[in-house]
C-alpha cells in the first residue's frame, strides 16, 4: 500500500521478528490445546488444589519485565493446568467443544479489537450481527422482532425483566419503581437462578419472584401458574412476567410453552422463554417440537455458546417487539451517537444496549454457521439428542445405574448406586450414604483426569450425576465410556 | 501422553491437516492486521456506506456449508473493511492499540474457552484474577477490598449503584424498592451516560439521577454538590451515592476526589469513582496526583481496555468493602456452587457476580502486565500524557486551531477554524458554520482513511474534535501528523 500521508515515519511500526512470541504461542495453542487436548486419551484436567496450584504457576506481577522465554513457559503452565473444555469428555457444564471455525472467528475478533456500538468503528460487525440475529429471529418465528447479543444468558434474562416492565409501565425509566404497583414475576421452581439475581438487581426483589410448582418431570405446571396469578392479583400484587424454561439447567425439561402462552395471553402477561440451553432444538426438524409455542412468546434467551458449540460468550436476547430495546435503553449520548454523521446513523445500534462498549460476539458464531450451514447444525444437534438418548438407554440397562427420568433435552441425570448399596432397603440412611457417592466419584474422575461430569441434589433428590451432551464431536462410544468409567471409579464404594 | 482409559478410539480426534484453515487464518491475521494494519502508511479504515458494504461482503447464512477457500476470502474482506483500531492513528475512542502480549492472552483465552464461575472449570484463571485484581486494589489503596471483572465499565458503574443501595438498605435484595425511601443519585453534568442507563435499569429512574454543576473546566463543583444534597434531603429525598469521575469522557477532567470524599463522609453517602478512562493514572508516579483521594472512595470502575491498552473487554469494579459483592449478589445455586466439593470452595467466586457464566477477562491484561512490569506500564502512561501535552501545545501555536482547554487527562479537545472563518466576528451564524466543520473533516478523514478522530458538541460548545491519546505506541510525530492532516483536510472550508 502506498503512503497515504506526507510524513516520513523513519521505520516506526512492527517488524517481522516482533511476531516471534505470537508464532511460538500459536504453535503451542495448536499442538497442546487444539490438537492435544481434544484427543480422547489426553487428560481433561490435571488437578491441583488451590494452594498447591498457587505454588506451581508463577502468577505474581512484578516491577520489572518478563522475558518472552519465561512468559511462554508460564503459558505452557496455564494450558497444562486449565480444564480442557474442548475435550470430548468434558461433560461438566452446558458448554464445551472446540470448533475450528468458531475458534478462528474468536481469534479474528480479538485481533480486530473493537466495540459493537457504532457502524463507525464496527462496520462489518454491525451488518453481521444484523444478519445473524435476523436468522435467529426467523428460526423462532419473531419475524418482525429485534435482538441483541448480551454478556451471557443471565443478563439476557435481565433484559427480559427490564423491557417487560418498561413495556407495561413506560414511566419506570424516568421515575423508577416509585408509585408503581407491587410488581412480581413468576418462574418455575426448576427455572434458572439468574431470575433471582435479575429481580434483585432491577429493584423488584427476590420475595416478589414466585415459584410455580413443577410436575413430577420438572415441567412448570400451568394450572399452578394460573392459580398463582389469581392469588397474587387477589392480594393486590401485579404479576407482569412469566419466565418459562426451554431446557432446564439440571433435568433438561421443556416447560409447556403453548399452555403457558395461553395463560399469558389471558392475563396479559409478558411471556419470556429462557431457552439459553435448550433453545437450539429449533435447529432440528426432528426436535423442534420441543419448542412448540415459542413463536407466541414475547422474548427469548438463547445461548449459542451452549448447545451450538460457539465459544463463550455468545448469548442473545430476542424479542418480538420491534423498537422496544432502544425505547427502553437509549440514553442518546451526544459524543457517541452524533446525529450529524455523514452515514445513515440508523446503523448505530449501541443505544439498544444497557452497555456502552460491547464486545463483538457475532463473528465466532457467524463463522461457524457460514462454514457448516443450517444443515450442518441440524446434523450436529440431532447427534447430540441421539447420544443423550443412547446414554439413557445404557443407564437403564446397566446394573447400578438409575435414571432420574427419560431425557427430553441432552441432560442425562442418573444415580450411580455402588455395589455395597445395591438391593438394600432405601431408608433415610441409605439415601444419606448415596448422597456421598457422587462427590467421591467426582473427586476421582477429576484427579484421574479422564472425564468431568457434574452432580447436584435437586429438591428431594440427593446428589446425582447430571451428564451434559453438548460437545458437537461426541459419539456414542463416549457414552459407553461414561458408564464404564463411573463404574470403574465407584465400584469399591 | 499414554492412554488414560480402557477404550480404543479408533483414530477419532483431530489430525494435523485439520489445522490448515486455522494456519492460513493465523498467517492472514498476522500479516494483514498485526503487522499490516499497524503501519502508519496503512489505511485506518476503508470506508463503505452500509448499503454498499452489504453488497460487498457475503454475509448471508445458507442451508449448505461453505468451503474453506471461500470462507478465508470472506475473512480477508472482514479484515479489509473493519476499522483498524490497532493502527497508531486510530484516535477515535477511549481504546485502541494492539499489544502482542495481550493479544496472545486474548487468543489463549479463546482456545481455553471456559467460564470464570468456579475453580472447578477455571483453576488457573481463578488464581490469576485474584492476583491481578489484588494488584489493582493495592494500587488504589483498597487494601482489604474486593473486586471483579465486569462486561464493560457501564456494568461496573451499575455494580456500584446496586451494591451501594444494598449496603444502605440490605432488605432491598429481598423486598425490592417497595417501602424504601425516595432514593436518588448524584453525578456531575459531565459524567458518563451509563449512570443514566444504570438508574433506569435498577429501578431508581432517570428523574432521580441529579446532575451536579461542573466548573468552567468541567470538574464537579463540590459546593453545588453539597447544596444539592441538602436540597434533596429537605425534599424528603434520599441521596445514597455520589458518582465522581476520574477522566471525563469528552474533556478528560478529574473531579476533585478529596473534596467529594469530605462531603460523602459528612453526609454518609457512598462515593463511587468512575475511573474507567482516567483511573490508569495511578500507574504513574508523576500523574497519580490526579487520583488523589481515590483511597477514600467506596468503589471504583477501572477499564484497563482503555488507557492500559488491553483488549476489549477488560473492565473492573473494585470496592473497599470486603464481602459486600457476595452478600449483595449471591443466589447460592446448588447445581454450580455445591458445598460438598472436594476442594476449598471459597475459591468458587462466581456468585459475587450478577452473571452466571462469565467470560475470562483476566488473562489478556495479566499477560501484558507480566511482560512489561509496573515500570513498563508507567513508561507507557507517562508517554501518553506527554504526547497529549505536546499536541495541546501544537494546537495552541498553530493558526486555525483553538484549544478548548489545557488537557488534564489524554483527551485533547479543540476546534479547527478553517481559513474562511478566521478573524471574523463570532456571531450565532459564525458558530453555526463552525459546527459544520468537524463533521465534514471527519467524513474526509474517514474516506481518506488516514486517521480517525471523534467530534461532538458539549453543552454550549458547538462540534469540536476530541482527540484521544490512548494507543501505547503513539509518538510525538503522530501528534504533528494530526495537526497537519486536519489542516490539509479542512483548509478549503
Amino acid at each position: 500500500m502506498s503512503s497515504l500521508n506526507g510524513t516520513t515515519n523513519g521505520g516506526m511500526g512492527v517488524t517481522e521478528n516482533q511476531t516471534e512470541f505470537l508464532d511460538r504461542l500459536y504453535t503451542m495453542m495448536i499442538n497442546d490445546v487444539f490438537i492435544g487436548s481434544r484427543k480422547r486419551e489426553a487428560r481433561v484436567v490435571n488437578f491441583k488444589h488451590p494452594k498447591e496450584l498457587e505454588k506451581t504457576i508463577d502468577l505474581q506481577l512484578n516491577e520489572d519485565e518478563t522475558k518472552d522465554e519465561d512468559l511462554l513457559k508460564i503459558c505452557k503452565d496455564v494450558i497444562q493446568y486449565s480444564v480442557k473444555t474442548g475435550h470430548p469428555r468434558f461433560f461438566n457444564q452446558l458448554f464445551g467443544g472446540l470448533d475450528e471455525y468458531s475458534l478462528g472467528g474468536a481469534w479474528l475478533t480479538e485481533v480486530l479489537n473493537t466495540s459493537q456500538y457504532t457502524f463507525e468503528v464496527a462496520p462489518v460487525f454491525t451488518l453481521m450481527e444484523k444478519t445473524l440475529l435476523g436468522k435467529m429471529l426467523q428460526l423462532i418465528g419473531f419475524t418482525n422482532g429485534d435482538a441483541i447479543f448480551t454478556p451471557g444468558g443471565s443478563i439476557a434474562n435481565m433484559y427480559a425483566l427490564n423491557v417487560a416492565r418498561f413495556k407495561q409501565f413506560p414511566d419506570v425509566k424516568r421515575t423508577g419503581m416509585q408509585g408503581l404497583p407491587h410488581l412480581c414475576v413468576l418462574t418455575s421452581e426448576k427455572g434458572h437462578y439468574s431470575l433471582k439475581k435479575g429481580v434483585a438487581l432491577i429493584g423488584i426483589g427476590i420475595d416478589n419472584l414466585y415459584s410455580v410448582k413443577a410436575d413430577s418431570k420438572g415441567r412448570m405446571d400451568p394450572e399452578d401458574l394460573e392459580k398463582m396469578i389469581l392469588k397474587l392479583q387477589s392480594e393486590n400484587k401485579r404479576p407482569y412476567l412469566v419466565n418459562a424454561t426451554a431446557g432446564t439447567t439440571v433435568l433438561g425439561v421443556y416447560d409447556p410453552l403453548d399452555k403457558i402462552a395461553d395463560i399469558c395471553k389471558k392475563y396479559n402477561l409478558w411471556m419470556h422463554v429462557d431457552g439459553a440451553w435448550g433453545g437450539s432444538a429449533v435447529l432440528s426438524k426432528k426436535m423442534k417440537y420441543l419448542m412448540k409455542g415459542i413463536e407466541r412468546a414475547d422474548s427469548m434467551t438463547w445461548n449459542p455458546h451452549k448447545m451450538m458449540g460457539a465459544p463463550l460468550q455468545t448469548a442473545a436476547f430476542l424479542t418480538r417487539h420491534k423498537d422496544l430495546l432502544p425505547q427502553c435503553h437509549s440514553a442518546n449520548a451526544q459524543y457517541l451517537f452524533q446525529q450529524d454523521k455523514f452515514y445513515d446513523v440508523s446503523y448505530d445500534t449501541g443505544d439498544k444496549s444497557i452497555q456502552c462498549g460491547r464486545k463483538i460476539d457475532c463473528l465466532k458464531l457467524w463463522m461457524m454457521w457460514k462454514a457448516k450451514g443450517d444443515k450442518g447444525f441440524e446434523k450436529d444437534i440431532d447427534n447430540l439428542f441421539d447420544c443423550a438418548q443412547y446414554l439413557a438407554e445404557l443407564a437403564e440397562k446397566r446394573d447400578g445405574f438409575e435414571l432420574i427420568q427419560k431425557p427430553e433435552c441432552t441432560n442425562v441425570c442418573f444415580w450411580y448406586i455402588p455395589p455395597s448399596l445395591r438391593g438394600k432397603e432405601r431408608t433415610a440412611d441409605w439415601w444419606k450414604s448415596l448422597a456421598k457417592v457422587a462427590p467421591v466419584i467426582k473427586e476421582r474422575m477429576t484427579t484421574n483426569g479422564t472425564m468431568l461430569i457434574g452432580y447436584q441434589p435437586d429438591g428431594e433428590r440427593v446428589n446425582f450425576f447430571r451428564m451434559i451432551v453438548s460437545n458437537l464431536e461426541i459419539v456414542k462410544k463416549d457414552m459407553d465410556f461414561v458408564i464404564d468409567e463411573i463404574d470403574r471409579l465407584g465400584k469399591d464404594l
Side-chain angles (χ1 to χ4, degrees), chain A:
Chain A
M1 207 175 288
S2 67
S3 178
L4 285 162
N5 62 59
T7 65
T8 53
N9 287 312
M12 296 186 292
V14 198
T15 58
E16 304 288 333
N17 64 19
Q18 271 180 268
T19 71
E20 198 196 319
F21 173 79
L22 288 174
D23 293 343
R24 290 176 63 187
L25 181 61
Y26 175 74
T27 304
M28 192 191 294
M29 293 191 294
I30 289 293
N31 291 339
D32 295 0
V33 190
F34 186 73
I35 297 175
S37 82
R38 287 160 70 209
K39 290 186 175 148
R40 282 173 171 76
E41 65 270 24
R43 279 172 172 272
V44 181
V45 58
N46 293 297
F47 183 80
K48 282 189 185 292
H49 282 280
K51 298 247 175 272
E52 206 186 342
L53 188 58
E54 263 165 356
K55 282 180 223 151
T56 307
I57 311 192
D58 171 21
L59 293 177
Q60 235 28 64
L61 297 168
N62 309 308
E63 282 209 351
D64 294 304
E65 61 182 21
T66 303
K67 277 186 235 144
D68 283 9
E69 203 59 46
D70 296 329
L71 210 51
L72 286 164
K73 204 199 135 294
I74 301 175
C75 289
K76 193 111 187 155
D77 285 341
V78 168
I79 292 172
Q80 164 89 337
Y81 296 107
S82 283
V83 173
K84 306 307 181 302
T85 65
H87 193 291
R89 283 161 189 174
F90 174 79
F91 307 115
N92 209 65
Q93 314 293 144
L94 304 176
F95 67 87
L98 195 50
D99 171 83
E100 64 188 308
Y101 300 103
S102 61
L103 176 61
W107 281 348
L108 186 50
T109 301
E110 295 302 323
V111 77
L112 290 172
N113 189 44
T114 194
S115 169
Q116 188 77 54
Y117 41 39
T118 60
F119 182 85
E120 188 172 329
V121 296
V124 177
F125 302 128
T126 299
L127 303 182
M128 187 181 276
E129 189 176 65
K130 197 180 149 200
T131 303
L132 186 55
L133 292 172
K135 181 94 184 179
M136 293 170 75
L137 285 165
Q138 179 205 318
L139 275 163
I140 58 171
F142 290 0
T143 36
N144 192 30
D146 195 9
I148 190 166
F149 282 107
T150 62
S154 295
I155 291 187
N157 286 340
M158 287 174 205
Y159 265 72
L161 293 168
N162 192 43
V163 300
R165 179 175 65 176
F166 173 78
K167 172 85 174 161
Q168 290 165 72
F169 306 96
D171 284 349
V172 70
K173 182 177 177 182
R174 234 175 12 83
T175 59
M177 297 280 285
Q178 304 287 334
L180 249 54
H182 189 135
L183 298 186
C184 49
V185 171
L186 292 141
T187 186
S188 156
E189 56 175 312
K190 303 294 183 193
H192 192 253
Y193 76 101
S194 53
L195 272 289
K196 251 193 196 177
K197 296 208 176 205
V199 292
L201 179 71
I202 74 165
I204 303 281
I206 291 175
D207 284 354
N208 299 308
L209 175 67
Y210 288 87
S211 285
V212 180
K213 269 187 214 145
D215 67 15
S216 64
K217 300 288 181 200
R219 298 183 205 103
M220 186 192 284
D221 175 356
E223 277 180 35
D224 192 58
L225 172 62
E226 185 157 14
K227 233 189 292 175
M228 289 195 76
I229 293 169
L230 292 170
K231 183 168 179 292
L232 290 168
Q233 287 180 342
S234 76
E235 291 166 359
N236 234 340
K237 287 172 189 156
R238 176 73 181 261
Y240 79 97
L241 177 142
V242 175
N243 174 60
T245 310
T248 55
T249 314
V250 176
L251 298 174
V253 297
Y254 287 77
D255 286 341
L257 303 187
D258 256 329
K259 286 184 188 160
I260 295 170
D262 289 341
I263 295 170
C264 287
K265 197 178 167 195
K266 184 168 167 190
Y267 296 97
N268 198 21
L269 303 179
W270 183 284
M271 175 176 171
H272 176 65
V273 177
D274 177 358
W277 167 230
S280 299
V282 297
L283 293 161
S284 154
K285 282 189 277 295
K286 200 169 127 197
M287 303 314 302
K288 72 177 175 195
Y289 75 92
L290 292 166
M291 295 292 289
K292 202 177 159 298
I294 183 62
E295 70 287 352
R296 299 173 61 197
D298 292 289
S299 61
M300 171 177 170
T301 292
W302 180 1
N303 291 11
H305 72 224
K306 299 195 194 288
M307 206 184 287
M308 292 173 80
L312 289 160
Q313 55 191 40
T314 317
F317 171 75
L318 309 104
T319 173
R320 67 160 57 266
H321 303 275
K322 207 172 169 59
D323 299 328
L324 190 57
L325 280 168
Q327 282 164 13
C328 179
H329 293 145
S330 65
N332 308 307
Q334 260 188 328
Y335 77 91
L336 192 58
F337 304 113
Q338 303 91 326
Q339 296 302 300
D340 55 2
K341 286 180 181 178
F342 71 98
Y343 63 83
D344 177 356
V345 293
S346 72
Y347 283 84
D348 288 351
T349 58
D351 218 13
K352 294 204 298 197
S353 167
I354 58 167
Q355 303 177 270
C356 172
R358 184 158 63 88
K359 192 156 174 64
I360 306 295
D361 291 330
C362 57
L363 177 57
K364 46 207 180 197
L365 176 62
W366 181 89
M367 195 96 121
M368 207 176 173
W369 211 318
K370 186 77 176 174
K372 64 170 73 190
D374 302 351
K375 288 180 188 163
F377 265 129
E378 177 164 30
K379 212 176 120 204
D380 285 339
I381 299 291
D382 282 345
N383 174 58
L384 294 179
F385 277 93
D386 282 353
C387 285
Q389 210 52 51
Y390 176 77
L391 176 61
E393 284 159 22
L394 287 180
E396 271 186 320
K397 280 183 285 189
R398 182 76 161 251
D399 264 7
F401 286 79
E402 198 166 309
L403 211 54
I404 300 290
Q405 63 190 34
K406 284 189 199 305
E408 273 199 312
C409 193
T410 67
N411 321 35
V412 185
C413 293
F414 55 84
W415 282 296
Y416 174 72
I417 299 161
S420 70
L421 291 175
R422 290 179 203 165
K424 302 271 170 69
E425 198 194 339
R426 300 192 169 186
T427 61
D429 275 350
W430 187 91
W431 286 110
K432 218 181 265 176
S433 302
L434 186 64
K436 289 177 188 152
V437 170
V440 174
I441 295 179
K442 176 66 178 263
E443 174 172 4
R444 291 176 178 181
M445 70 173 77
T446 308
T447 50
N448 277 261
T450 48
M451 63 180 181
L452 279 181
I453 303 180
Y455 73 83
Q456 68 289 299
D458 185 50
E460 302 285 287
R461 295 178 178 116
V462 303
N463 279 330
F464 56 87
F465 286 109
R466 179 200 65 166
M467 158 77 200
I468 295 294
V469 185
S470 166
N471 183 324
L472 302 183
E473 285 175 58
I474 285 178
V475 294
K476 287 184 180 161
K477 274 189 185 174
D478 295 311
M479 304 298 99
D480 294 320
F481 177 79
V482 165
I483 296 288
D484 291 340
E485 183 67 1
I486 289 183
D487 210 16
R488 183 181 80 82
L489 294 169
K491 67 181 170 211
D492 65 329
L493 293 175

